[in-house]
Amino acid sequence: MQHEETVVILDYGSQYTQLIARRVREAGVYSEIHPCTLSSEALKAIKPKAIILSGGPCSVSDEDAPQLDKTVLELGVPVLGICYGMQLLAHTLDGGKVASSKEREYGRAELTLSAGSALWEGVDATTPRTVWMSHGDHVVAIPKGFSIIARTSSVEAAAMADPSRNIYALQFHPEVAHTEDGETILRNFLFKIAKVKTGWTMASFVESEVAALREKLGDDHVVCALSGGVDSTVVAVLLHKAIGDRLHCIFVNNGVLRQGEGEEVVSFLTEHFKLNLKYVQAQDLFLDRLDGVEDPEKKRKIIGHTFIEVFEREAKAIPGVKWLAQGTLYPDVIESVSFRGGPSVVIKSHHNVGGLPEKMDLKLVEPLRELFKDEVRKVALELGMPDSIIWRHPFPGPGLAIRIIGDVTRERLDILRKADKIVQAELHAADWYRKVWQGFAVLLPLKTVGVMGDDRTYENVCALRIVDSLDAMTADWSRVPTDILARISNRIINEVKGINRVVLDISSKPPATIEWE
Ligand code: XMP
């Protein structure tokens, strides 16, 4: 979709690039991330209202350092350089110079505003502002036409501006939460300097996306796999708004869902959203194939392949389907740039419906391709979804199969379901469910001795895995108050036959992972 008011962020490999894009969108302006290698023709075609140059891990003078195409500065579009982006401006423009610092400055710094600027409107100039720095190099000579507008104790040119050309630059990161007034500074750039208009709201997204889907799909039929998670549900509800019952949803119960999950999801979506939904109960097929399988990657493959097989069979039974809907999000679409470090290794093969579209000769429709996860949640709210869907913890495709270490039997599934239900219920009851990224129980292939009443028991151990995370790439164990942990443990041991010991996982990711398999 072509957006009227787009801010382009040219990515030089900073870990904060996505954060910049999100901050711009939070200000109500649509933003897109593109690799810094984007050609000036392609950039022109987007007709950006403003351009932001991100930070990055390189030094401008490195042999293979990504550079700035001078024509970007000749488009007449306001530019804001952040960190490496600022150094690039100094390196590229006449008179500017960048030098390496002996030490990398990392963390908080005190910023003193040393000259008035549209960037500083509404920012208190009387006391130093705390800002977040993360850089090795810094600008030692500013380019012709620029003036220094802020300094810190270690960097004389901590911000510089050339208002006549609308080029601004900051050595610190306005996009991170630790920077005081960072939001005001970014907003000043967008609204006071670049004069961008707001208009990117989730209500406007729903309206324009539904219209675009209608136009794109015409009278065609679409098939969509529902998982009960927020992404696939939002995809389905948007498409249903656009094409009604020509959207065919399929929910496959793979036998490794949580207690009552299949029925709950299906009845809610058919009753509340009137989705045209087929509930496929394939539990036995999946569980028979999982019989005796202990290797986690084999479990994933079996579940993935079986899912595709079942889904394909069901989808083929619907006449005239031309499209497959998927819940791809913006972070999956962004072309990532990696200037340092090799390709990332596959640690676990995540299960999705990959391979299906080509196999079935279907075209892909991805209504969420432009959205970040927090925006998907806002759309869900806009569409009237309940908190139980909007804030549901991520649940892996292979479900409880990778939370039962070793062989997945019906009996062990039953034990884990009961324990897991208690974990979910107690996190909700204590108002901790939304504070954590994921919280669940894992059933270990280990029996230990216990005592119940006068009897000796010899039963299973269950581990609690409760983590904080922003994106599942890194995670730390949640510091859940001990009284909540005590209640969970007590209830599991007393109420779940087959478990007589509960332990707590206190590992971070990395080096551990969130799931145990
Ligand atoms: P790990 O265990 O790799 O998990 O730290 C990161 C996130 O991914 C989820 N996860 C999966 N999701 N299929 C999925 O759809 C999978 O095979 C899979 N394995 C892990 C996990 O729950 C966490 O949110």
PDB file of all heavy atoms in Angstrom, residues 300 348-351 394-398 402-403 437-438 472 509 513-515, ligand 1:
ATOM      1  N   ARG A 300       8.891 -31.699  16.287  1.00  0.00           N
ATOM      2  CA  ARG A 300       8.504 -30.516  15.504  1.00  0.00           C
ATOM      3  C   ARG A 300       8.185 -30.886  14.061  1.00  0.00           C
ATOM      4  O   ARG A 300       7.213 -30.422  13.493  1.00  0.00           O
ATOM      5  CB  ARG A 300       9.650 -29.492  15.489  1.00  0.00           C
ATOM      6  CG  ARG A 300       9.723 -28.659  16.718  1.00  0.00           C
ATOM      7  CD  ARG A 300      10.703 -27.507  16.500  1.00  0.00           C
ATOM      8  NE  ARG A 300      10.621 -26.570  17.593  1.00  0.00           N
ATOM      9  CZ  ARG A 300      11.223 -26.730  18.772  1.00  0.00           C
ATOM     10  NH1 ARG A 300      11.963 -27.795  19.000  1.00  0.00           N
ATOM     11  NH2 ARG A 300      11.075 -25.837  19.723  1.00  0.00           N
ATOM     12  N   LYS A 348      16.295 -23.693  16.676  1.00  0.00           N
ATOM     13  CA  LYS A 348      15.155 -24.605  16.682  1.00  0.00           C
ATOM     14  C   LYS A 348      14.374 -24.329  15.394  1.00  0.00           C
ATOM     15  O   LYS A 348      14.205 -23.171  15.032  1.00  0.00           O
ATOM     16  CB  LYS A 348      14.233 -24.339  17.874  1.00  0.00           C
ATOM     17  CG  LYS A 348      14.873 -24.582  19.211  1.00  0.00           C
ATOM     18  CD  LYS A 348      13.941 -24.199  20.344  1.00  0.00           C
ATOM     19  CE  LYS A 348      14.687 -24.288  21.654  1.00  0.00           C
ATOM     20  NZ  LYS A 348      13.878 -23.939  22.814  1.00  0.00           N
ATOM     21  N   SER A 349      13.945 -25.362  14.719  1.00  0.00           N
ATOM     22  CA  SER A 349      13.203 -25.125  13.483  1.00  0.00           C
ATOM     23  C   SER A 349      11.762 -24.805  13.845  1.00  0.00           C
ATOM     24  O   SER A 349      11.028 -25.669  14.284  1.00  0.00           O
ATOM     25  CB  SER A 349      13.245 -26.369  12.606  1.00  0.00           C
ATOM     26  OG  SER A 349      12.577 -27.416  13.256  1.00  0.00           O
ATOM     27  N   HIS A 350      11.394 -23.533  13.733  1.00  0.00           N
ATOM     28  CA  HIS A 350      10.043 -23.154  14.150  1.00  0.00           C
ATOM     29  C   HIS A 350       9.015 -23.569  13.107  1.00  0.00           C
ATOM     30  O   HIS A 350       9.209 -23.432  11.923  1.00  0.00           O
ATOM     31  CB  HIS A 350       9.970 -21.661  14.443  1.00  0.00           C
ATOM     32  CG  HIS A 350      10.617 -21.339  15.757  1.00  0.00           C
ATOM     33  ND1 HIS A 350      10.437 -20.169  16.413  1.00  0.00           N
ATOM     34  CD2 HIS A 350      11.443 -22.068  16.532  1.00  0.00           C
ATOM     35  CE1 HIS A 350      11.116 -20.180  17.537  1.00  0.00           C
ATOM     36  NE2 HIS A 350      11.748 -21.322  17.616  1.00  0.00           N
ATOM     37  N   HIS A 351       7.910 -24.041  13.644  1.00  0.00           N
ATOM     38  CA  HIS A 351       6.894 -24.605  12.772  1.00  0.00           C
ATOM     39  C   HIS A 351       5.935 -23.530  12.273  1.00  0.00           C
ATOM     40  O   HIS A 351       5.406 -22.752  13.026  1.00  0.00           O
ATOM     41  CB  HIS A 351       6.146 -25.684  13.579  1.00  0.00           C
ATOM     42  CG  HIS A 351       4.709 -25.834  13.279  1.00  0.00           C
ATOM     43  ND1 HIS A 351       4.262 -26.339  12.085  1.00  0.00           N
ATOM     44  CD2 HIS A 351       3.618 -25.562  14.002  1.00  0.00           C
ATOM     45  CE1 HIS A 351       2.950 -26.373  12.110  1.00  0.00           C
ATOM     46  NE2 HIS A 351       2.533 -25.905  13.254  1.00  0.00           N
ATOM     47  N   PRO A 394       2.468 -16.120  23.957  1.00  0.00           N
ATOM     48  CA  PRO A 394       2.797 -16.914  22.765  1.00  0.00           C
ATOM     49  C   PRO A 394       2.761 -18.403  23.123  1.00  0.00           C
ATOM     50  O   PRO A 394       3.178 -18.780  24.220  1.00  0.00           O
ATOM     51  CB  PRO A 394       4.233 -16.493  22.438  1.00  0.00           C
ATOM     52  CG  PRO A 394       4.462 -15.214  23.165  1.00  0.00           C
ATOM     53  CD  PRO A 394       3.555 -15.214  24.344  1.00  0.00           C
ATOM     54  N   PHE A 395       2.239 -19.177  22.205  1.00  0.00           N
ATOM     55  CA  PHE A 395       2.184 -20.624  22.433  1.00  0.00           C
ATOM     56  C   PHE A 395       2.789 -21.294  21.203  1.00  0.00           C
ATOM     57  O   PHE A 395       2.367 -21.016  20.088  1.00  0.00           O
ATOM     58  CB  PHE A 395       0.721 -21.054  22.633  1.00  0.00           C
ATOM     59  CG  PHE A 395       0.561 -22.495  23.029  1.00  0.00           C
ATOM     60  CD1 PHE A 395       1.079 -22.952  24.235  1.00  0.00           C
ATOM     61  CD2 PHE A 395      -0.094 -23.395  22.196  1.00  0.00           C
ATOM     62  CE1 PHE A 395       0.952 -24.279  24.616  1.00  0.00           C
ATOM     63  CE2 PHE A 395      -0.241 -24.722  22.569  1.00  0.00           C
ATOM     64  CZ  PHE A 395       0.286 -25.169  23.777  1.00  0.00           C
ATOM     65  N   PRO A 396       3.790 -22.135  21.382  1.00  0.00           N
ATOM     66  CA  PRO A 396       4.488 -22.673  20.205  1.00  0.00           C
ATOM     67  C   PRO A 396       3.604 -23.605  19.368  1.00  0.00           C
ATOM     68  O   PRO A 396       2.730 -24.290  19.928  1.00  0.00           O
ATOM     69  CB  PRO A 396       5.653 -23.448  20.822  1.00  0.00           C
ATOM     70  CG  PRO A 396       5.234 -23.753  22.214  1.00  0.00           C
ATOM     71  CD  PRO A 396       4.326 -22.641  22.641  1.00  0.00           C
ATOM     72  N   GLY A 397       3.834 -23.615  18.074  1.00  0.00           N
ATOM     73  CA  GLY A 397       3.100 -24.510  17.178  1.00  0.00           C
ATOM     74  C   GLY A 397       3.104 -25.957  17.669  1.00  0.00           C
ATOM     75  O   GLY A 397       2.058 -26.603  17.702  1.00  0.00           O
ATOM     76  N   PRO A 398       4.273 -26.501  18.080  1.00  0.00           N
ATOM     77  CA  PRO A 398       4.295 -27.894  18.539  1.00  0.00           C
ATOM     78  C   PRO A 398       3.733 -28.066  19.956  1.00  0.00           C
ATOM     79  O   PRO A 398       3.781 -29.174  20.501  1.00  0.00           O
ATOM     80  CB  PRO A 398       5.779 -28.262  18.517  1.00  0.00           C
ATOM     81  CG  PRO A 398       6.466 -27.153  17.831  1.00  0.00           C
ATOM     82  CD  PRO A 398       5.634 -25.944  17.944  1.00  0.00           C
ATOM     83  N   ILE A 402       6.539 -30.106  23.078  1.00  0.00           N
ATOM     84  CA  ILE A 402       7.918 -29.710  23.412  1.00  0.00           C
ATOM     85  C   ILE A 402       8.029 -29.251  24.868  1.00  0.00           C
ATOM     86  O   ILE A 402       9.042 -28.731  25.289  1.00  0.00           O
ATOM     87  CB  ILE A 402       8.475 -28.646  22.435  1.00  0.00           C
ATOM     88  CG1 ILE A 402       7.568 -27.414  22.364  1.00  0.00           C
ATOM     89  CG2 ILE A 402       8.677 -29.244  21.050  1.00  0.00           C
ATOM     90  CD1 ILE A 402       8.228 -26.215  21.687  1.00  0.00           C
ATOM     91  N   ARG A 403       6.934 -29.456  25.615  1.00  0.00           N
ATOM     92  CA  ARG A 403       6.993 -29.167  27.061  1.00  0.00           C
ATOM     93  C   ARG A 403       6.881 -30.455  27.863  1.00  0.00           C
ATOM     94  O   ARG A 403       6.807 -30.425  29.084  1.00  0.00           O
ATOM     95  CB  ARG A 403       5.883 -28.188  27.453  1.00  0.00           C
ATOM     96  CG  ARG A 403       6.122 -26.832  26.831  1.00  0.00           C
ATOM     97  CD  ARG A 403       5.056 -25.827  27.163  1.00  0.00           C
ATOM     98  NE  ARG A 403       5.362 -24.567  26.492  1.00  0.00           N
ATOM     99  CZ  ARG A 403       4.548 -23.534  26.470  1.00  0.00           C
ATOM    100  NH1 ARG A 403       3.368 -23.603  27.068  1.00  0.00           N
ATOM    101  NH2 ARG A 403       4.898 -22.423  25.838  1.00  0.00           N
ATOM    102  N   TRP A 437       6.238 -12.463  29.900  1.00  0.00           N
ATOM    103  CA  TRP A 437       6.142 -12.762  28.463  1.00  0.00           C
ATOM    104  C   TRP A 437       5.459 -14.121  28.254  1.00  0.00           C
ATOM    105  O   TRP A 437       4.560 -14.269  27.455  1.00  0.00           O
ATOM    106  CB  TRP A 437       7.549 -12.750  27.884  1.00  0.00           C
ATOM    107  CG  TRP A 437       7.654 -13.243  26.478  1.00  0.00           C
ATOM    108  CD1 TRP A 437       7.985 -14.511  26.084  1.00  0.00           C
ATOM    109  CD2 TRP A 437       7.437 -12.496  25.278  1.00  0.00           C
ATOM    110  NE1 TRP A 437       7.986 -14.595  24.715  1.00  0.00           N
ATOM    111  CE2 TRP A 437       7.665 -13.372  24.196  1.00  0.00           C
ATOM    112  CE3 TRP A 437       7.090 -11.163  25.014  1.00  0.00           C
ATOM    113  CZ2 TRP A 437       7.543 -12.960  22.870  1.00  0.00           C
ATOM    114  CZ3 TRP A 437       6.977 -10.762  23.684  1.00  0.00           C
ATOM    115  CH2 TRP A 437       7.186 -11.658  22.642  1.00  0.00           C
ATOM    116  N   GLN A 438       5.942 -15.107  28.996  1.00  0.00           N
ATOM    117  CA  GLN A 438       5.363 -16.447  28.936  1.00  0.00           C
ATOM    118  C   GLN A 438       5.511 -17.092  30.307  1.00  0.00           C
ATOM    119  O   GLN A 438       6.511 -16.850  30.994  1.00  0.00           O
ATOM    120  CB  GLN A 438       6.120 -17.323  27.935  1.00  0.00           C
ATOM    121  CG  GLN A 438       5.583 -17.269  26.519  1.00  0.00           C
ATOM    122  CD  GLN A 438       6.457 -18.035  25.544  1.00  0.00           C
ATOM    123  OE1 GLN A 438       7.603 -17.672  25.335  1.00  0.00           O
ATOM    124  NE2 GLN A 438       5.923 -19.079  24.944  1.00  0.00           N
ATOM    125  N   ALA A 472      11.309 -12.370  22.512  1.00  0.00           N
ATOM    126  CA  ALA A 472      11.667 -13.798  22.564  1.00  0.00           C
ATOM    127  C   ALA A 472      13.099 -14.084  22.101  1.00  0.00           C
ATOM    128  O   ALA A 472      13.562 -15.214  22.179  1.00  0.00           O
ATOM    129  CB  ALA A 472      10.683 -14.670  21.784  1.00  0.00           C
ATOM    130  N   LYS A 509      17.954 -16.510  28.721  1.00  0.00           N
ATOM    131  CA  LYS A 509      18.224 -16.805  27.307  1.00  0.00           C
ATOM    132  C   LYS A 509      18.974 -15.641  26.707  1.00  0.00           C
ATOM    133  O   LYS A 509      18.436 -14.534  26.759  1.00  0.00           O
ATOM    134  CB  LYS A 509      16.915 -17.004  26.549  1.00  0.00           C
ATOM    135  CG  LYS A 509      17.123 -17.109  25.023  1.00  0.00           C
ATOM    136  CD  LYS A 509      15.842 -17.217  24.259  1.00  0.00           C
ATOM    137  CE  LYS A 509      16.139 -17.321  22.769  1.00  0.00           C
ATOM    138  NZ  LYS A 509      14.966 -17.545  21.960  1.00  0.00           N
ATOM    139  N   THR A 513      17.231 -21.523  26.439  1.00  0.00           N
ATOM    140  CA  THR A 513      16.158 -21.005  25.590  1.00  0.00           C
ATOM    141  C   THR A 513      14.904 -20.932  26.451  1.00  0.00           C
ATOM    142  O   THR A 513      14.907 -21.386  27.597  1.00  0.00           O
ATOM    143  CB  THR A 513      15.907 -21.916  24.368  1.00  0.00           C
ATOM    144  OG1 THR A 513      15.755 -23.252  24.827  1.00  0.00           O
ATOM    145  CG2 THR A 513      17.029 -21.827  23.374  1.00  0.00           C
ATOM    146  N   ILE A 514      13.845 -20.348  25.889  1.00  0.00           N
ATOM    147  CA  ILE A 514      12.610 -20.212  26.675  1.00  0.00           C
ATOM    148  C   ILE A 514      11.985 -21.592  26.879  1.00  0.00           C
ATOM    149  O   ILE A 514      11.733 -22.020  27.999  1.00  0.00           O
ATOM    150  CB  ILE A 514      11.629 -19.233  25.990  1.00  0.00           C
ATOM    151  CG1 ILE A 514      12.229 -17.821  25.955  1.00  0.00           C
ATOM    152  CG2 ILE A 514      10.284 -19.241  26.722  1.00  0.00           C
ATOM    153  CD1 ILE A 514      11.404 -16.780  25.234  1.00  0.00           C
ATOM    154  N   GLU A 515      11.739 -22.290  25.781  1.00  0.00           N
ATOM    155  CA  GLU A 515      11.211 -23.652  25.882  1.00  0.00           C
ATOM    156  C   GLU A 515      12.351 -24.582  26.302  1.00  0.00           C
ATOM    157  O   GLU A 515      13.522 -24.270  26.096  1.00  0.00           O
ATOM    158  CB  GLU A 515      10.643 -24.101  24.527  1.00  0.00           C
ATOM    159  CG  GLU A 515       9.556 -23.187  23.950  1.00  0.00           C
ATOM    160  CD  GLU A 515       8.220 -23.275  24.674  1.00  0.00           C
ATOM    161  OE1 GLU A 515       8.040 -24.218  25.484  1.00  0.00           O
ATOM    162  OE2 GLU A 515       7.372 -22.403  24.456  1.00  0.00           O
TER     163      GLU A 515
HETATM  164  P1  XMP B   1      12.954 -20.496  22.375  1.00  0.00           P
HETATM  165  O1  XMP B   1      12.638 -21.771  23.083  1.00  0.00           O
HETATM  166  O2  XMP B   1      13.622 -20.709  21.041  1.00  0.00           O
HETATM  167  O3  XMP B   1      11.554 -19.831  22.061  1.00  0.00           O
HETATM  168  O4  XMP B   1      13.691 -19.533  23.242  1.00  0.00           O
HETATM  169  C1  XMP B   1      11.377 -18.529  21.555  1.00  0.00           C
HETATM  170  C2  XMP B   1       9.893 -18.319  21.316  1.00  0.00           C
HETATM  171  O5  XMP B   1       9.437 -19.161  20.272  1.00  0.00           O
HETATM  172  C3  XMP B   1       8.463 -20.068  20.742  1.00  0.00           C
HETATM  173  N1  XMP B   1       8.773 -21.353  20.105  1.00  0.00           N
HETATM  174  C4  XMP B   1       8.124 -21.828  19.038  1.00  0.00           C
HETATM  175  N2  XMP B   1       7.079 -21.327  18.355  1.00  0.00           N
HETATM  176  N3  XMP B   1       7.144 -23.200  16.947  1.00  0.00           N
HETATM  177  C5  XMP B   1       6.578 -22.038  17.320  1.00  0.00           C
HETATM  178  O6  XMP B   1       5.588 -21.622  16.692  1.00  0.00           O
HETATM  179  C6  XMP B   1       8.207 -23.770  17.584  1.00  0.00           C
HETATM  180  O7  XMP B   1       8.673 -24.836  17.220  1.00  0.00           O
HETATM  181  C7  XMP B   1       8.713 -23.038  18.690  1.00  0.00           C
HETATM  182  N4  XMP B   1       9.731 -23.255  19.561  1.00  0.00           N
HETATM  183  C8  XMP B   1       9.757 -22.207  20.413  1.00  0.00           C
HETATM  184  C9  XMP B   1       8.589 -20.091  22.240  1.00  0.00           C
HETATM  185  O8  XMP B   1       7.369 -20.438  22.877  1.00  0.00           O
HETATM  186  C10 XMP B   1       9.029 -18.672  22.530  1.00  0.00           C
HETATM  187  O9  XMP B   1       7.932 -17.786  22.527  1.00  0.00           O
END
